Amino acid sequence: MRACRKCHILTEETVCPICGSQTSEHWQGYVIIIDPRRSRIAQKMGIKMPGKYALKVR
Ligand SMILES: [Zn+2]
């Protein structure tokens, strides 16, 4: 799995399917966001789409 450097979503692709940024294989931890509008973590991270997101991406 790789994580987007910009929006932090987890993906198998080298380019993020959401924002088109490069993805990195160096990431740590992840959160599953089901309802971004009700999640404080999602709001803090600026997440608007449900999905799996890395907490830290290098
Ligand atoms: Zn992205």
Side-chain angles (χ1 to χ4, degrees), residues 5-56:
R5 287 202 165 107
K6 199 174 170 191
C7 68
H8 287 201
I9 198 161
L10 293 179
T11 174
E12 303 282 352
E13 312 295 323
T14 53
V15 172
C16 174
I18 310 289
C19 70
S21 295
Q22 274 213 324
T23 60
S24 167
E25 57 192 343
H26 304 290
W27 55 273
Q28 281 184 328
Y30 69 88
V31 285
I32 297 170
I33 304 294
I34 295 158
D35 188 347
R37 281 177 303 175
R38 290 188 184 196
S39 165
R40 291 187 76 176
I41 303 163
Q43 285 172 12
K44 216 173 169 183
M45 291 171 71
I47 293 166
K48 294 186 177 63
M49 300 245 304
K52 263 185 177 182
Y53 294 85
L55 291 175
K56 280 188 185 175

